[in-house]
Amino acid sequence: MWVLFFGDVVGRPGRKAVAEFLSRLRGVRDVDLVIANGENVASGMGLTDTVVRELFEAGVDVLTGGNHMWDKKEGVPLVRAGERILRPANYPPGVDGRGWGVFRGRSGTPYVVLSLIGRVFMGNYDCPFRWADTALPDIRREAACVLVDFHAEATSEKRALALYLDGRVSAIAGTHTHVQTSDASVLPGGTGYITDVGMCGPAGSIIGMDPNTVLRRFLLQVPVRFDVASGEPEASGVFFDLDPETGRCKTVQAFRVSESQMRSKETWKTFSNP
């Protein structure tokens, strides 16, 4: 079963890229579940009801989160009540929302999707390693396939969690840094992994934002409002091919395609069903 995971969706260009990719994927590859990191979907930070519905209508099944989920006050009730919206599970007890859930794929196969957040250069969250140790025995009773979005800054922390959970979860997709890494692979224990899935957003940007505003911050070291960049959008993501019986990952395929590449028939040959 193919599960599709999109990297951090940044603003309107990111939403457009996701919708375009999914519309053109239909009839090319059968995907059982679509997951996207949604902490940046509304103007680059946070979420709103309108943009969340837009992504769900485009074909996204689950939105995972991160440290920017709370950046728009109108998004907080969505995190609190949305069954298809996950915030990192290892926030301290009592935080609104939930960190994992069971979702049925188009085939009827159950999947657990789990959102975790790192601590290195990030914040004083509960330990994701020990949180997983405690929770995974119960979580694995819900479904053979367990997919983790690990929202973290340090590549070392992402890699460490992947090796720590290898064989205990089906796949780990790193998010947050918005730059896709070249290490998509199946680990020795059968867990699919990539350090960072990348970004869905404007290609000619600095991790989704207008280069002029970001450069001003670097050059002058003064507070600057970051705006989502314009220009051609791109979609970055990863496909995990999972065994629904064992939960093991058989294949990992990362991609990064621009809107113009999506219009080319050659692009879709790499995604064709066997």
Side-chain angles (χ1 to χ4, degrees), residues 1-3 30-35 61-62 101-113 140-147 170 240-248 250:
M1 297 290 185
W2 288 106
V3 173
D30 295 328
V31 174
D32 208 33
L33 192 74
V34 180
I35 308 165
D61 297 305
V62 186
V102 182
F103 304 92
R104 293 277 174 179
R106 287 156 184 79
S107 67
T109 300
Y111 299 87
V112 168
V113 181
R140 286 175 58 88
R141 293 189 186 98
E142 301 291 336
C145 295
V146 179
L147 298 105
S170 304
F240 296 109
D241 186 10
L242 305 182
D243 185 320
E245 299 298 325
T246 66
R248 292 174 65 91
K250 297 183 285 186

Side-chain angles (χ1 to χ4, degrees), residues 169-224:
V169 299
S170 304
I172 298 177
T175 59
H176 181 65
T177 54
H178 293 207
V179 178
Q180 189 176 90
T181 54
S182 60
D183 59 346
S185 61
V186 179
L187 300 176
T191 295
Y193 172 70
I194 186 169
T195 297
D196 200 283
V197 184
M199 172 194 73
C200 298
S205 66
I206 298 176
I207 62 171
M209 299 300 164
D210 182 344
N212 292 323
T213 57
V214 178
L215 288 171
R216 179 176 172 82
R217 175 65 180 271
F218 277 115
L219 290 169
L220 301 181
Q221 294 297 303
V222 296
V224 176

Side-chain angles (χ1 to χ4, degrees), residues 10 13 24 26 41 45 48 58 65-66 103 111 121 126 159 179-180 189 209-210 213 224-225 240-241 243 249 258:
V10 182
R24 294 181 180 272
R26 295 188 184 103
V41 294
M45 291 184 180
T48 63
F103 304 92
Y111 299 87
F121 307 127
D126 292 346
R159 184 74 180 178
V179 178
Q180 189 176 90
M209 299 300 164
D210 182 344
T213 57
V224 176
R225 173 190 170 88
F240 296 109
D241 186 10
D243 185 320
C249 184
S258 66

Side-chain angles (χ1 to χ4, degrees), residues 17-212:
V18 167
E20 183 80 5
F21 189 92
L22 288 174
S23 68
R24 294 181 180 272
L25 186 66
R26 295 188 184 103
V28 176
R29 172 173 289 181
D30 295 328
V31 174
D32 208 33
L33 192 74
V34 180
I35 308 165
N37 183 282
E39 69 155 8
N40 302 123
V41 294
S43 302
M45 291 184 180
L47 40 81
T48 63
D49 181 66
T50 301
V51 300
V52 165
R53 282 190 283 107
E54 181 183 331
L55 285 170
F56 287 156
E57 289 170 3
V60 174
D61 297 305
V62 186
L63 289 175
T64 53
N67 53 304
H68 288 301
M69 295 203 72
W70 322 100
D71 286 2
K72 286 186 169 49
K73 63 181 181 180
E74 57 265 50
V76 175
L78 299 176
V79 178
R80 181 183 299 126
E83 292 185 358
R84 297 163 66 186
I85 301 172
L86 303 176
R87 50 86 173 159
N90 56 315
Y91 267 92
V95 173
D96 286 332
R98 61 178 187 154
W100 65 277
V102 182
F103 304 92
R104 293 277 174 179
R106 287 156 184 79
S107 67
T109 300
Y111 299 87
V112 168
V113 181
L114 166 62
S115 179
L116 291 173
I117 194 167
R119 299 193 295 179
V120 179
F121 307 127
M122 294 290 286
N124 295 319
Y125 307 102
D126 292 346
C127 176
F129 298 81
R130 298 188 186 280
W131 190 96
D133 278 339
T134 300
L136 275 177
D138 289 334
I139 286 175
R140 286 175 58 88
R141 293 189 186 98
E142 301 291 336
C145 295
V146 179
L147 298 105
V148 180
D149 174 352
F150 190 35
H151 198 75
E153 183 76 33
T155 55
S156 59
E157 189 178 20
K158 293 178 183 181
R159 184 74 180 178
L161 186 74
L163 295 179
Y164 191 66
L165 298 184
D166 184 22
R168 292 195 279 168
V169 299
S170 304
I172 298 177
T175 59
H176 181 65
T177 54
H178 293 207
V179 178
Q180 189 176 90
T181 54
S182 60
D183 59 346
S185 61
V186 179
L187 300 176
T191 295
Y193 172 70
I194 186 169
T195 297
D196 200 283
V197 184
M199 172 194 73
C200 298
S205 66
I206 298 176
I207 62 171
M209 299 300 164
D210 182 344
N212 292 323

